[in-house]
């Protein structure tokens, strides 16, 4: 079995120490941190989701796998952040109200930091009012929202509405993402852009800044 397949298996099995051991071995053998992340750690969580959907995994097992993924992330994160360049702009990032999923949101924060952005991570279960307060306090260039549940996606639109009602909409560029989110949905709620993954959140933010 190759390293990436072994990482996936260890994440699925929720074996944090094994994930860390193989992640280190993979990096020592010359795999890049991006490959370990994008072809090992992230796809493992998709398989975990499929198992949950099929009834093969309970929530407790999803949580244990998430913890194991974080074990690998702890190792690759400093390597990805080493590629840091000068500060480009500020982004506030949060998972929307009612939603507790944070892995994708944390990856977005990590890639933004690695891409030279100042990041204010609001955390999970962030209400429209909390986003509004954060925009007033931090005056960011970007507001980035993550949602993993079809039921919580609606809070993205509610947050944009709340920003408009508070006269803040034109001060920020708003980006949305997360597994159930699509370009069509982003357009329907009036977001400035949709990013399908954390890397795209950075490249699209860069493109917007270049236009300013
Ligand atoms: Co949950 N969960 N979960 N879960 N969970 C999903 C999302 C689900 C698809 C599983 C399934 O049924 N197949 C399903 C949602 C169904 C739906 O609504 N369509 C689901 C469910 C139902 C639930 C509960 C309701 C289960 C229950 O209680 N009955 C519950 C809800 C809790 C809540 O939030 N209120 C729940 C709970 C949990 C755990 C707590 C156990 C755990 C989360 C742990 C944590 O985050 N710390 C968990 C997990 C781990 C998952 C799966 C298995 C994995 C999610 C993940 O981390 N993926 C997930 C299945 C799946 O997604 N296939 C599932 C890896 C991550 C890197 O991907 O977050 O998509 P993702 O991020 C990507 C992109 O989407 C993008 O970048 C990342 C890649 O670079 N991206 C952005 C994300 N946010 C972005 C923001 C941006 C840009 C890009 O801003 C611009």
């Amino acid at each position: 079995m190759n390293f990436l397949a072994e990482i996936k298996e260890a994440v699925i099995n929720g074996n944090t120490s094994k994930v860390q051991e193989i992640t280190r071995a993979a990096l020592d053998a010359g795999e890049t941190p991006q490959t370990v992340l994008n072809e090992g750690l992230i796809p493992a969580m998709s398989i975990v989701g499929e198992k949950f959907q099929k009834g093969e995994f309970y929530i407790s097992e999803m949580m244990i796998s998430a913890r194991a993924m974080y074990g690998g992330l702890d190792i690759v994160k400093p390597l990805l952040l080493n590629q840091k360049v000068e500060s480009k702009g500020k982004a506030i990032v949060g998972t929307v109200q009612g939603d507790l999923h944070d892995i994708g949101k944390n990856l977005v924060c990590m890639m933004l930091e690695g891409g030279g952005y100042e990041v204010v991570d609001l955390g999970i279960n962030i209400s429209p009012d909390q986003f509004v307060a954060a925009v007033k306090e931090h005056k960011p260039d970007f507001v980035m929202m993550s949602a993993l549940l079809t039921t919580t996606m609606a809070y993205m639109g509610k947050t944009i509405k709340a920003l408009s009602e508070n006269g803040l909409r034109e001060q920020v560029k708003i980006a949305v993402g997360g597994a159930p989110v699509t370009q069509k949905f982003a357009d329907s709620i009036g977001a400035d852009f949709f990013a399908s993954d954390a890397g795209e959140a950075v490249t699209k933010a860069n493109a917007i800044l270049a236009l300013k």
Side-chain angles (χ1 to χ4, degrees), residues 38 42 45-50 52-53 59-60 62-63 66 69-70 93 98-105 107-108 144-152 175-180 193-199 201:
N38 293 326
I42 292 179
M45 293 311 292
S46 301
I47 299 169
V48 169
E50 284 160 24
F52 175 71
Q53 218 158 16
I59 293 177
S60 53
M62 276 208 285
M63 289 178 85
M69 183 191 166
Y70 273 124
V93 187
D99 203 318
L100 307 177
H101 295 85
D102 69 357
I103 297 178
K105 184 266 298 168
L107 286 175
V108 171
M144 299 205 181
M145 291 182 266
S146 179
L148 264 286
L149 300 172
T150 43
T151 48
T152 59
V176 291
F193 67 97
F194 159 72
S196 61
D197 61 38

Side-chain angles (χ1 to χ4, degrees), residues 77 81 92-94 103-115 117 119-123 198 202:
K77 183 176 173 178
L81 292 185
I92 63 170
V93 187
I103 297 178
K105 184 266 298 168
N106 289 343
L107 286 175
V108 171
C109 291
M110 192 179 102
M111 295 304 281
L112 283 167
E113 280 175 34
Y117 287 86
V119 176
V120 180
D121 181 358
L122 301 179
V202 179

Side-chain angles (χ1 to χ4, degrees), residues 95-98 122 124-133 155 159 162:
T95 301
V96 297
Q97 183 167 340
L122 301 179
I124 54 174
N125 191 22
I126 302 302
S127 69
D129 286 348
Q130 286 173 296
F131 275 106
V132 166
Y155 281 100
T159 299

